[in-house]
Amino acid sequence: MAICLNFELIIVRGTIAEYRFGECLKELDGIFEIDLSILLNDFISLDTPISEVVKLKNKKQSQAAANRVFGKIHSYFVEHKEYPKKGNYYA
C-alpha cells in the first residue's frame, strides 16, 4: 500500500511552525505545529512522546501521518536551517 502525503507551511511564529497536511490529491485538512529549535537544542528529553513534539491542532488526519510529514520537515530543517514552505512524503 503506497502512502502519499503533501504538506505546506501556514505560518511561523518565532520558532514554532504550523503546517497543513493531507493525502495527495485531496484537501490538506490536517494541521499540526512543531518547534524544531527545542528538539535540536536538546531542550526536551529523548523519551518525550512524539505527540508532544508534533502537536495535532485538529483531528482531520492521524498522528502517524503527521509524524511522517514531520520526518521530511526535520530533515530539511537540519540541512537548510529553515522550515520548508511545502513538500511531499512518499512511501
Side-chain angles (χ1 to χ4, degrees), residues 25-77:
L25 303 176
K26 293 186 179 180
E27 182 180 353
L28 303 181
D29 57 1
I31 299 174
F32 69 86
E33 71 177 26
I34 54 176
D35 186 347
L36 288 176
S37 69
I38 64 167
L39 183 65
L40 297 176
N41 292 315
D42 295 326
F43 293 137
I44 61 172
S45 170
L46 291 177
D47 60 350
T48 301
I50 191 70
S51 61
E52 291 183 29
V53 176
V54 181
K55 299 176 184 173
L56 288 177
K57 303 296 279 185
N58 66 18
K59 302 296 182 192
K60 302 283 182 161
Q61 294 286 336
S62 72
Q63 183 72 48
N67 296 347
R68 288 180 171 97
V69 169
F70 166 75
K72 295 293 278 191
I73 294 168
H74 178 268
S75 296
Y76 183 94
F77 190 90

